[in-house]
């Protein structure tokens, strides 16, 4: 059982040593703990500091790519190097790394696919009352979209099982936190919440300039993720409401027509026609979105199988051979004489068929 602790970093040379010094090197039920630093375009000595503290695994971006891309690239690296559980923490020392054992415990026990730390934001001293309120509101919105009951949906201190990472696909460019919860909830993955306390604040967030920008970007990510899984809920309600409102002017016109007083009420019919047209378009879009959702589900199932071939099936799965290795590495279905397995970062060799003389045509 191998655990990778990944740390997305952007100019964290001052706080990174505190993070690295407090990460436990041994965990109950775990064979090895590896530390991965994701350098998201740092211009300081972040990488040098990490190397000085014994870190051997790095993912480096030549320019700043954002938290979501850093998370995704870190997960790909960890899975490619045999990770069974991936823990994500921050380079600003916000979280108490000593609680990693408690965070991975539900995943190790098979009680959860994902464990998310609950920072208990009501007790954080440097959070303003408005920020505490918005954290609660944001978590409730995410819970409604994901059908979960998480007290702190914005927490980035998390543990993911290999099985959950094979199923999740991060497409947003801002933050993976909200999107992965909504995906996990709609894919019926089990999510556990682990209460923790946080360390004193070391610096301002670099993810957003102010709370309003954070709210706007998080809201956009939530809506996009929700529409991916439940387009019928939004478009269906929109079509129903506009359809009912659009019928009211027609009923009103018909009543006045029966009373012999229908003159001068054409404007209401135009308004009703507009609403009915909007209702019709909403239902058409709902059908198209539902068809796209079906296509997306099929593509995600294909992508999951491709990840299983690339990274190997999770340990303990029905088809696991006990090694947790890809089938070709376990010697089950890979023929090196046909196409050798490339090393990470190596171009995939392509075998070209030998040219043959054109055969006769009918």
């Amino acid at each position: 059982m191998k655990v990778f602790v990944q740390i997305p970093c952007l100019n964290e040379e001052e706080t990174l040593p505190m993070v690295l010094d407090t990460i436990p090197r041994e965990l109950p039920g775990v064979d090895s703990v590896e530390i991965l630093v994701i350098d998201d375009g740092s211009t300081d000595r972040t990488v040098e500091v990490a190397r000085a503290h014994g870190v051997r695994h790095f993912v480096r971006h030549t320019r700043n790519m954002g938290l979501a891309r850093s998370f995704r690239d870190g997960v790909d690296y960890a899975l490619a190097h045999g990770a069974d559980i991936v823990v994500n923490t921050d380079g600003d020392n916000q979280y108490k790394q000593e609680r990693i054992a408690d965070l991975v415990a539900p995943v190790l026990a098979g009680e959860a696919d994902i464990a998310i730390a609950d920072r208990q934001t009501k007790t954080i001293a440097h959070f303003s009352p408005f920020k505490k309120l918005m954290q609660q509101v944001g978590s409730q919105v995410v819970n409604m979209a994901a059908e979960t009951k998480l007290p702190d949906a914005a927490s980035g201190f998390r543990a993911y099982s290999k099985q959950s990472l094979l199923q999740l696909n991060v497409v947003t460019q801002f933050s993976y936190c909200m999107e992965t919860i909504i995906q996990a909830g709609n894919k019926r993955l089990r999510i556990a919440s682990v209460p923790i306390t946080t360390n004193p604040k070391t610096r301002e967030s670099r993810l957003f300039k102010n709370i309003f920008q954070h709210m706007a970007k998080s809201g956009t990510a939530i809506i996009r993720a929700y529409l991916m899984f439940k387009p019928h809920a939004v478009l269906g309600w929109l079509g129903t409401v506009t359809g009912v409102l659009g019928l009211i002017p027609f009923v009103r016109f018909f009543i006045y027509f029966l009373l012999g007083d229908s003159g001068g009420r054409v404007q209401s019919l135009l308004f009703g026609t507009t609403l009915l047209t909007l209702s019709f378009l909403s239902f058409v879009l709902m059908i198209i979105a539902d068809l796209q959702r079906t296509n997306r589900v099929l593509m995600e199932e294909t992508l999951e199988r491709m990840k299983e071939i690339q990274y190997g099936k999770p340990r303990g799965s029905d088809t696991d051979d006990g090694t947790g290795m890809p089938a070709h590495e376990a010697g089950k279905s890979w023929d090196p004489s046909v196409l050798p397995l490339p090393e990470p970062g190596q171009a995939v060799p392509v075998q070209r068929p030998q040219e043959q003389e054109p055969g006769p045509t009918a």
Side-chain angles (χ1 to χ4, degrees):
M1 182 65 66
K2 182 183 291 187
V3 171
F4 260 79
V5 180
Q6 66 174 29
I7 314 170
C9 293
L10 175 61
N11 298 328
E12 305 286 9
E13 65 173 343
E14 295 183 2
T15 57
L16 186 57
M18 295 184 287
V19 177
L20 295 175
D21 289 340
T22 54
I23 293 178
R25 271 35 177 197
E26 295 182 357
L27 296 173
V30 174
D31 298 319
S32 65
V33 177
E34 304 288 343
I35 300 177
L36 166 63
V37 169
I38 305 158
D39 174 27
D40 192 25
S42 298
T43 56
D44 64 356
R45 298 180 60 256
T46 294
V47 174
E48 289 79 357
V49 169
R51 291 188 190 279
H53 281 74
V55 177
R56 300 183 300 110
H57 300 281
F58 294 89
V59 172
R60 303 192 67 175
H61 296 159
T62 56
R63 57 172 297 182
N64 180 251
M65 304 296 289
L67 181 59
R69 179 60 182 269
S70 297
F71 173 80
R72 188 178 67 187
D73 289 349
V75 165
D76 287 342
Y77 181 97
L79 292 178
H81 287 75
D84 297 295
I85 297 176
V86 176
V87 175
N88 191 88
T89 187
D90 284 348
D92 61 357
N93 200 39
Q94 174 186 177
Y95 305 111
K96 292 184 180 295
Q97 322 307 325
E98 301 90 337
R99 299 297 304 275
I100 288 179
D102 298 324
L103 195 63
V104 302
V107 181
L108 282 173
E111 298 171 356
D113 301 296
I114 303 171
I116 300 177
D118 173 17
R119 296 171 294 174
Q120 305 180 77
T121 53
K122 291 182 179 180
T123 65
I124 299 180
H126 64 268
F127 274 20
S128 66
F130 179 72
K131 187 173 183 178
K132 292 178 181 179
L133 176 62
M134 289 300 99
Q135 290 283 351
Q136 289 183 318
V137 172
S139 295
Q140 291 301 321
V141 172
V142 172
N143 287 329
M144 291 176 59
E147 299 181 8
T148 54
K149 297 180 180 180
L150 298 171
D152 188 8
S155 173
F157 193 30
R158 305 180 174 193
Y160 292 84
S161 69
K162 183 176 183 178
Q163 180 60 52
S164 68
L165 293 173
L166 294 179
Q167 297 185 47
L168 298 176
N169 300 291
V170 178
V171 296
T172 184
Q173 296 182 348
F174 173 57
S175 174
Y176 66 94
C177 295
M178 309 298 185
E179 182 183 12
T180 52
I181 290 177
I182 295 175
Q183 286 193 32
N186 284 278
K187 292 181 179 182
R188 295 299 183 263
L189 297 177
R190 298 165 299 172
I191 308 176
S193 181
V194 181
I196 66 166
T197 56
T198 58
N199 291 318
K201 183 178 180 180
T202 57
R203 61 165 174 77
E204 296 295 333
S205 173
R206 297 193 180 108
L207 187 60
F208 50 88
K209 296 179 180 179
N210 52 64
I211 186 64
F212 298 103
Q213 184 188 48
H214 177 63
M215 290 168 55
K217 290 187 175 183
S218 297
T220 302
I222 292 171
I223 293 173
R224 182 179 300 167
Y226 185 72
L227 286 175
M228 271 200 320
F229 288 93
K230 296 182 178 179
H232 57 279
V234 177
L235 296 173
W237 273 104
L238 179 62
T240 301
V241 171
T242 53
V244 172
L245 294 177
L247 288 175
I248 293 176
F250 282 89
V251 173
R252 176 175 176 270
F253 179 85
F254 183 69
I255 292 175
Y256 278 107
F257 177 77
L258 293 178
L259 296 175
D261 186 21
S262 59
R265 307 186 190 279
V266 179
Q267 296 88 342
S268 61
L269 293 182
L270 293 176
F271 179 68
T273 301
T274 302
L275 290 176
L276 290 178
T277 302
L278 179 60
S279 176
F280 175 75
L281 291 176
S282 297
F283 284 116
V284 170
L285 289 175
M286 182 183 70
I287 295 174
I288 296 174
D290 191 65
L291 293 175
Q292 288 185 329
R293 185 175 71 91
T294 301
N295 186 53
R296 178 185 56 76
V297 170
L298 295 175
M299 292 179 64
E300 286 190 338
E301 290 179 351
T302 302
L303 183 58
E304 182 180 347
R305 285 169 172 78
M306 291 176 62
K307 290 180 181 179
E308 288 179 349
I309 295 174
Q310 181 179 3
Y311 302 130
K313 293 182 179 294
R315 297 179 190 272
S317 62
D318 294 339
T319 54
D320 176 33
D321 64 347
T323 65
M325 295 164 48
H328 51 265
E329 293 185 6
K332 299 185 72 173
S333 62
W334 186 269
D335 185 358
S337 65
V338 177
L339 185 62
L341 176 66
E343 296 295 329
Q346 178 183 347
V348 178
V350 178
Q351 292 187 344
R352 301 182 181 277
Q354 297 180 353
E355 296 184 2
Q356 300 179 356
E357 293 294 331
T361 56

